[in-house]
């Protein structure tokens, strides 16, 4: 079977373009879009100042002072891309979104209809320009991988010459860092050199994943054309009653649907690489859009893509019902996921006895449901991190996001080993069971009834004798024991975030608390409950 | 693969591929024969740490009500009970409307923070729904009882816990039945006087009311 001839349309720097259109970023200034504090995309102005993708935020800010930094918003990017996808869909119905800013479709029908590949490319670029993307690029080649590279250059590869076209590209374009670096070390720096290896050797040395990459480098499809056509009963359908008009309602149903579909595929030993999201509205409109992923889609990734798509349809269509062209005019009544392309699952190795996998899975589902009820940011887990006060030493991470501390618990060991602990001046003793954020106002008085203050040199005006606050039983009272103060002069090198304060451990009867005094204002930061 | 979230690595129910029905059937047979019987002790979760001397174990499906004045040690006791789930390698959760639980204190009491989900900022009208959802899958659920919880909602949660085999630990005035009531009566803090030393440990006086006579005891909590 031959590799299908494919056209790929690429809108360069789409996250930047989308952010500018949303009005989040200035038009002619350097912009970097970050994902997990690394540069995910940047504007041409930023590139001119040597900002590159994958760079840390701090490096980017050093290279391009005054750069506008944004968090990546893939859902918003998809929404902005929807008009382009719709416009192209008018010409080529079998369109597949690769990611926001890039789409592809097989050219067999459209190319003949519009009178050849050149005419088709011209037409598509014209359509994209009308939809508001002036610098879109398109390319045609055999197979999606080669088409993507062709789109970068904006060329049309002659049928059957795809492997020659691919040969000079570096192996890094395969998108697998580990394999790419290994191939370079083996002296195979171009796709052509990799493609020249004999198949059995590739399979023996690099395994089945390596074989997939090898097929790509030869201009073939990554997965050999499979005879397993997904049986029709794999389609997952969900009726929405009442119709969903808000994205989160529909997205919740989509998540359940995605879980169900992937669960059934998994039971059959299959994985899905291309799925079509279909929706019907109360006015009988029917929408469908395909999504592809080079690896296999997991339930979370699939649900994410369905959510982006729904966001695009619902937000766009319902904003102005009268003028919406191709968008939705009513709520969604039906949602369907159709696995278009399936491959044998060779993926993850599960634990031998399964462990408490079922329990963890059930738990994950329930937490996701609770997130649906009260909002994703309110279901959190704690990650211990470096810091001095009980509040600083914990980061609360929303469920489903990577559990990474913001500050290391152990400071990086320098060339000279010192006896100083990683976070000098931290409050010692057992951690308090109640931490208030923000701290609760209080008054800390000495025996004469004056507020206790600490001078710039850390000298205490008088020992504390009385603590009053609303959170204490009976409003507070006489102090029966105290320790401290621990003086903190945090980030003295940065005027904006600098903070000077002192901490005291104070006991009022049987109640112990951590009191913070900042600029003469006392507050209770934590209670040892 | 693109970005992966923790849920990606959670394996599904189907551990055995369906490709070979015969092998699958045989494996199920082996699993059935080899599976341990569910004994009464499997329904018990041992309580680790110093609290274990007073409350040796939690029974799945029970409700434990913990009370005490602020600063009296009730939160620390509740963390000690939640640690029973971590000790068994299972999940624990907390429903904390004002989000003041100290994660480090929980960790010190033996709670595994990687399996401890906290739900915060829950409006009162959703409180019972969220608590019920958590009881569905989480072994030990700590809920802070806000003011104005209806007794009917509380009773429904009690039966939900029993039905799902989850332990419900309540913190604050609980307007329904509880198999065990634990009251933190406070205790002196050791380690510091006026202006010298640091907070080190505490002997917490605890009263436990269960089916038998009330039990009094001291729980020593050190840093």
């Amino acid at each position: 079977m031959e590799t299908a001839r494919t056209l790929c349309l690429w809108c360069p720097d789409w996250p930047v373009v989308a952010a500018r259109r949303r009005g989040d970023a200035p038009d002619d200034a350097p912009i970097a879009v970050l994902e997990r504090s690394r540069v995910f995309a940047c504007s041409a102005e930023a590139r001119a100042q040597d900002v590159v993708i994958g760079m840390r935020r701090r490096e980017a800010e050093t290279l391009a002072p005054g750069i506008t930094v944004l968090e990546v918003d893939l859902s918003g990017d998809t929404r902005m891309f929807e008009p382009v996808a719709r416009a192209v869909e008018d010409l080529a119905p079998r369109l597949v979104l690769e990611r926001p800013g890039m789409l592809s479709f097989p050219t067999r029908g459209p190319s003949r209809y519009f009178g050849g590949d050149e005419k088709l490319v011209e037409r598509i670029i014209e359509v994209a320009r009308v939809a508001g993307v002036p610098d879109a690029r398109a390319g045609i080649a055999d197979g999606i991988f080669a088409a993507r590279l062709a789109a970068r250059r904006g060329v049309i590869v002659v049928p059957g010459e795809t492997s020659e076209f691919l040969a000079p590209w570096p192996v890094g374009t395969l998108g697998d860092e580990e394999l790419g670096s290994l191939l370079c070390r083996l002296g195979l720096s171009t796709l052509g050199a990799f493609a020249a290896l004999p198949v059995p050797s590739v399979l023996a040395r690099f395994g089945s994943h390596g074989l997939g990459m090898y097929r790509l480098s030869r201009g073939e499809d990554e997965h050999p054309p499979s005879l397993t056509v997904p049986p029709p009963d794999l389609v997952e359908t969900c009726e929405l009653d009442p119709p969903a008009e808000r994205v989160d309602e529909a997205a919740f149903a989509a998540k359940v649907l995605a879980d169900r579909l992937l669960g059934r595929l998994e039971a059959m030993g299959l994985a899905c690489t291309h799925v079509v999201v279909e929706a019907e509205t109360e006015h009988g409109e029917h929408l469908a859009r395909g999504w592809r992923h080079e690896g296999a889609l997991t339930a979370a990734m699939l649900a994410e893509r369905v959510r982006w798509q729904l966001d695009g349809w619902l937000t766009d269509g319902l904003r102005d019902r009268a003028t919406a062209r191709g968008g939705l005019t009513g709520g969604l009544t039906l949602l369907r996921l159709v696995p278009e392309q399936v491959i044998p699952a060779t993926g993850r190795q599960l634990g031998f006895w399964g462990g408490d996998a079922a329990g963890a899975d059930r738990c994950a589902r329930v937490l996701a449901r609770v997130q649906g009820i009260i909002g994703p940011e309110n279901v959190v887990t704690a990650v211990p991190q470096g810091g001095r006060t009980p509040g600083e030493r914990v980061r609360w991470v929303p469920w489903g996001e990577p559990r990474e501390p913001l500050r290391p618990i152990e400071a990086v060991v320098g060339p000279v080993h010192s006896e100083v602990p990683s976070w000098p001046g931290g409050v010692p003793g057992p951690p308090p069971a109640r931490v208030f954020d923000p701290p609760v106002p209080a008054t800390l008085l000495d025996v004469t009834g004056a507020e206790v203050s600490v001078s710039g040199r850390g000298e205490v005006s008088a020992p504390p004798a009385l603590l009053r606050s609303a959170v204490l039983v009976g409003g507070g009272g006489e102090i029966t024991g105290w320790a401290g103060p621990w003086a903190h002069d945090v980030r003295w090198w940065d005027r904006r975030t600098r903070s000077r304060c002192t901490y005291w451990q104070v006991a009022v009867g049987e109640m112990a608390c951590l009191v913070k005094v900042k600029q003469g204002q006392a507050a209770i930061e934590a209670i040892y409950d | 693969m693109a970005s992966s979230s923790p849920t990606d690595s959670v394996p599904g129910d189907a551990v055995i591929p369906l490709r070979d029905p015969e092998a699958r059937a045989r494996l199920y047979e082996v699993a059935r024969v080899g599976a341990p019987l569910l004994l009464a002790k499997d329904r018990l979760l041992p309580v680790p740490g110093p609290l274990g001397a007073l409350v040796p174990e939690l029974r799945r499906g029970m409700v434990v009500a913990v009370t005490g004045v602020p600063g009296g040690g009730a939160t620390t006791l509740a963390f000690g009970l939640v640690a029973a789930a971590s000790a068994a390698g299972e999940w624990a959760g907390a429903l904390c409307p004002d989000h003041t639980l100290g994660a480090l204190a929980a960790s010190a009491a033996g709670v595994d923070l990687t399996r401890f989900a906290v739900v915060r900022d829950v409006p009162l009208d959703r409180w019972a729904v969220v608590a019920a959802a958590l009881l569905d899958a989480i072994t030990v659920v700590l809920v802070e009882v806000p003011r104005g919880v209806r007794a009917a909602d509380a009773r429904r949660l009690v039966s939900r816990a029993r039905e799902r085999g989850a332990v419900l630990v309540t913190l604050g005035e609980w307007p329904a039945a509880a198999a065990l009531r634990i009251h933190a009566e406070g205790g002196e803090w050791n380690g510091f006087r006026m202006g010298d030393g640091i907070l080190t440990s505490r002997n917490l006086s605890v009263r436990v009311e269960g089916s038998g006579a009330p039990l009094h005891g001291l729980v020593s909590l050190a840093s």
Side-chain angles (χ1 to χ4, degrees):
Chain A
M1 192 173 132
E2 277 200 4
T3 309
R5 237 173 128 60
T6 308
L7 182 144
C8 180
L9 177 75
W10 176 50
C11 304
D13 306 330
W14 184 253
V16 175
V17 177
R20 281 183 172 155
R21 280 218 205 150
R22 283 195 295 268
D24 292 349
D27 266 351
D28 299 316
I31 297 169
V33 179
L34 302 181
E35 189 192 29
R36 291 197 215 162
S37 49
R38 281 187 183 271
V39 175
F40 176 74
C42 58
S43 65
E45 294 83 4
R47 254 196 308 276
Q49 286 171 287
D50 293 335
V51 176
V52 294
I53 287 167
M55 194 176 254
R56 284 181 175 283
R57 173 188 187 142
R58 191 173 295 172
E59 292 172 80
E61 283 175 334
T62 314
L63 284 171
I67 190 169
T68 308
V69 174
L70 300 164
E71 272 302 315
V72 62
D73 173 14
L74 288 171
S75 159
D77 294 349
T78 315
R79 203 161 58 226
M80 305 303 288
F81 196 58
E82 187 59 25
V84 183
R86 249 180 237 156
V88 175
E89 204 174 27
D90 286 348
L91 307 182
R94 291 179 61 199
L95 159 113
V96 178
L97 292 183
E98 306 287 330
R99 57 162 198 257
M102 186 185 274
L103 56 82
S104 67
F105 57 86
T107 60
R108 206 172 130 206
S111 181
R112 186 180 299 170
Y113 184 83
F114 290 108
D117 287 348
E118 287 83 5
K119 292 260 173 59
L120 180 63
V121 165
E122 272 169 31
R123 189 81 189 235
I124 292 290
I125 290 185
E126 174 64 21
V127 158
R129 205 176 52 81
V130 171
V133 191
D135 54 352
R137 297 184 194 183
I140 298 183
D142 298 344
I144 172 63
F145 173 70
R148 229 176 283 159
L149 294 181
R152 275 207 217 174
R153 289 237 179 111
V155 297
I156 297 165
V157 180
V158 181
E161 288 183 12
T162 298
S163 54
E164 287 81 14
F165 165 71
L166 288 175
W169 290 84
V171 285
T173 50
L174 287 170
D176 182 330
E177 261 176 49
E178 206 177 316
L179 184 70
S181 115
L182 176 61
L183 289 174
C184 280
R185 278 176 281 144
L186 291 172
L188 302 166
S189 57
T190 62
L191 293 180
F194 185 35
L197 299 179
V199 185
S201 315
V202 170
L203 187 57
R205 178 65 181 78
F206 303 106
S208 61
H209 174 69
L211 185 66
M213 295 288 142
Y214 171 75
R215 295 178 60 89
L216 286 184
S217 70
R218 286 172 39 131
E220 297 166 12
D221 281 329
E222 179 180 357
H223 306 289
S226 164
L227 294 178
T228 42
V229 177
D233 63 325
L234 274 177
V235 175
E236 285 289 346
T237 310
C238 164
E239 284 186 24
L240 302 165
D241 188 25
E245 297 216 348
R246 289 211 327 270
V247 176
D248 50 343
E249 294 166 352
F252 184 65
K255 176 129 185 39
V256 177
L257 220 54
D259 278 342
R260 223 156 63 194
L261 176 66
L262 269 292
R264 282 176 58 191
L265 285 173
E266 195 176 4
M268 304 178 75
L270 296 173
C272 182
T273 53
H274 178 179
V275 72
V276 176
V277 185
E278 293 183 5
E280 277 173 25
T281 69
E282 44 193 343
H283 297 161
E285 290 149 309
H286 182 95
L287 293 135
R289 182 62 42 83
W291 279 89
R292 194 203 315 261
H293 194 271
E294 297 91 63
L297 287 159
T298 65
M301 284 152 62
L302 177 55
E304 200 178 26
R305 276 158 182 73
V306 176
R307 192 191 163 95
W308 295 345
Q309 191 55 58
L310 293 173
D311 207 15
W313 285 336
L314 281 172
T315 318
D316 240 30
L318 293 180
R319 199 181 298 139
D320 44 351
R321 288 181 189 230
T323 58
R325 183 183 149 277
L328 300 185
T329 57
L332 295 180
T333 54
L334 186 100
L335 201 57
R336 194 180 293 135
L337 294 182
V338 186
E340 193 80 344
Q341 187 179 37
V342 293
I343 53 167
T346 49
R348 315 186 304 264
Q349 178 75 48
L350 301 177
F352 189 52
W353 292 115
D356 62 340
D361 202 19
R362 221 171 48 228
C363 183
R365 240 175 271 153
V366 160
L367 291 179
R369 196 166 93 216
V370 173
Q371 282 183 319
I373 301 174
I374 57 165
E377 68 287 354
N378 286 331
V379 179
V380 291
T381 60
V383 182
Q385 63 178 3
R388 295 183 178 83
T389 65
E392 277 176 11
R393 287 172 59 195
V394 172
R395 175 173 180 224
W396 295 98
V397 180
W399 167 256
E401 285 179 20
R403 284 171 49 90
E404 282 162 9
L406 288 180
R407 294 179 288 266
I409 294 177
E410 303 289 336
V412 179
V413 179
V416 183
H417 184 74
S418 72
E419 292 295 308
V420 182
S422 300
W423 293 91
V427 180
R434 292 279 176 182
V435 180
F436 299 108
D437 182 27
V440 183
T443 44
L444 190 64
L445 306 174
D446 61 16
V447 274
T448 63
E451 288 203 356
V452 176
S453 63
V454 181
S455 74
R457 290 171 173 267
E459 287 160 348
V460 182
S461 63
L466 199 67
L467 178 67
R468 296 210 170 280
S469 172
V471 289
L472 301 178
V473 179
E478 263 185 43
I479 290 172
T480 53
W482 57 273
W486 287 273
H488 285 185
D489 190 354
V490 180
R491 299 184 72 86
W492 47 264
W493 57 88
D494 186 344
R495 255 177 42 213
R496 282 171 303 168
T497 57
R498 179 180 184 183
S499 129
R500 290 182 63 150
C501 52
T502 51
Y503 283 88
W504 308 68
Q505 282 177 344
V506 176
V508 178
E510 292 182 345
M511 209 159 28
C513 47
L514 185 66
V515 179
K516 171 187 186 177
V517 179
K518 187 177 179 186
Q519 295 173 344
Q521 290 289 313
I524 293 185
E525 180 143 323
I527 290 186
Y528 296 86
D529 184 13
Chain B
M1 291 264 170
S3 68
S4 68
S5 62
T7 47
D8 284 351
S9 60
V10 176
D13 293 327
V15 192
I16 315 160
L18 244 180
R19 277 172 239 159
D20 187 347
E22 200 187 334
R24 197 178 169 84
R26 252 185 239 157
L27 266 173
Y28 272 128
E29 179 63 14
V30 170
R32 196 185 59 78
V33 174
L37 293 168
L38 187 70
L39 300 174
K41 70 173 168 54
D42 294 335
R43 296 186 49 80
L44 298 180
L45 298 165
V47 176
L51 187 58
L54 270 182
V55 185
E57 67 239 333
L58 300 177
R59 190 168 26 79
R60 287 174 199 264
M62 85 192 301
V63 177
V64 187
V66 183
T67 50
V69 295
T75 311
T76 308
L77 288 182
F79 282 151
L81 296 173
V82 169
S86 298
E90 299 196 24
W91 272 81
L95 184 53
C96 173
D98 56 355
H99 194 49
T100 56
L101 291 180
L104 293 177
S107 173
V111 177
D112 177 2
L113 292 184
T114 58
R115 292 172 186 232
F116 181 55
V118 177
V119 181
R120 58 188 182 184
D121 290 338
V122 184
L124 187 60
D125 57 331
R126 301 271 175 86
W127 182 85
V129 179
V130 172
L134 291 178
L135 284 172
D136 270 355
I138 294 177
T139 310
V140 177
V141 179
L142 167 66
V143 297
E144 272 194 79
V145 188
R147 278 167 203 275
V149 165
R150 285 179 305 173
D153 280 341
R155 278 198 300 274
R156 221 166 283 144
L157 288 183
V158 172
S159 54
R160 184 71 161 236
R162 188 178 336 112
E163 195 182 300
R164 297 288 175 174
V167 180
L168 178 64
V169 179
T170 67
L171 194 52
E173 287 307 318
W174 179 239
L180 211 58
R181 287 184 183 271
I182 302 180
H183 189 71
E185 297 180 320
E188 281 297 322
W189 281 95
N190 308 321
F192 71 174
R193 292 185 296 277
M194 299 298 277
D196 111 63
I198 55 164
L199 218 61
T200 54
S201 65
R202 181 185 208 184
N203 286 327
L204 195 61
S205 167
V206 179
R207 191 176 75 235
V208 180
E209 293 168 20
S211 49
L215 200 65
H216 277 269
L218 280 178
V219 175
S220 168
L221 302 167
S223 64

